[in-house]
Amino acid sequence: MQLISKSIEHTLKIGRMLAKYLKKRDIICLIGQLGSGKTVLVKGIAEGLGIKSWVVKSPSFILIHEYKSKNNLLYHLDLYRLKNPIDTVLLGYEEYLYNEGICVIEWAERLNYLMPKEYLKINFYIVSEEKRLLKFIAYGRRYKELLKRIYEDIRH
């Protein structure tokens, strides 16, 4: 599935819509160059989960942030500064992937061979100063069903 975001506000809206379908232990892997909108999408997901978006920051210096709302827990990982998968292991990433929260990982390609078997991958492409192309790819039954529900929601 592909979506074109026409603005920051539109990317936030996509994140809020996506959050409606997420549940505990879901894993979202974000891939795209700097400035492509990954953190903006995470802010939208946070809003959709009842977390104030202004608290969500790119965790490039602090690699993991935990955000809580009344009913949800969001783990936001940013692997930009990690040089190899061993650094990720030392970080204890598995505690977040398979814990009680929803896990969103920026720069997920840095996981390399440590990628989970099942997850929703979103590739970000810069089309123009304002526009972004988001390509959604599902790995595993749960995420194929999730993507189908999102697609049906968008069509209506």
Side-chain angles (χ1 to χ4, degrees):
M1 181 177 86
Q2 297 184 43
L3 294 175
I4 293 281
S5 172
K6 298 175 183 165
S7 66
I8 289 172
E9 293 76 23
H10 193 201
T11 302
L12 289 168
K13 182 179 177 183
I14 292 168
R16 287 190 299 268
M17 180 269 305
L18 176 59
K20 291 191 310 188
Y21 301 102
L22 297 177
K23 63 183 185 178
K24 291 178 182 180
R25 295 192 177 97
D26 276 344
I27 302 168
I28 312 298
C29 293
L30 308 179
I31 298 173
Q33 66 190 79
L34 283 171
S36 60
K38 297 180 299 295
T39 303
V40 173
L41 185 78
V42 177
K43 287 176 179 270
I45 291 170
E47 284 181 4
L49 296 174
I51 299 163
K52 302 289 185 197
S53 66
W54 60 268
V55 301
V56 175
K57 305 222 181 327
S58 181
S60 292
F61 296 103
I62 299 171
L63 300 174
I64 301 170
H65 282 293
E66 294 183 24
Y67 304 109
K68 295 178 184 177
S69 71
K70 187 175 183 177
N71 300 314
N72 295 294
L73 179 58
L74 175 63
Y75 301 122
H76 180 198
L77 286 73
D78 187 326
L79 306 181
Y80 178 72
R81 298 221 179 274
L82 299 183
K83 301 298 180 207
N84 62 59
I86 298 301
D87 294 336
T88 308
V89 171
L90 296 173
L91 181 66
Y93 82 105
E94 286 183 315
E95 291 179 38
Y96 298 95
L97 290 183
Y98 306 110
N99 209 324
E100 292 300 309
I102 295 163
C103 187
V104 181
I105 307 168
E106 294 190 45
W107 299 94
E109 68 273 20
R110 304 264 167 111
L111 286 172
N112 200 340
Y113 60 85
L114 298 173
M115 286 292 271
K117 289 183 181 178
E118 296 190 9
Y119 60 96
L120 179 63
K121 178 169 128 181
I122 306 173
N123 288 319
F124 288 73
Y125 300 94
I126 298 173
V127 176
S128 68
E129 189 173 323
E130 293 292 320
K131 285 186 182 179
R132 303 295 187 260
L133 171 64
L134 283 68
K135 288 187 179 181
F136 294 72
I137 304 164
Y139 294 90
R141 183 185 318 162
R142 157 75 183 134
Y143 298 98
K144 289 177 182 175
E145 291 171 7
L146 174 69
L147 206 48
K148 181 180 175 189
R149 291 175 62 201
I150 293 168
Y151 179 75
E152 289 171 358
D153 188 17
I154 292 170
R155 288 185 49 211
H156 292 101

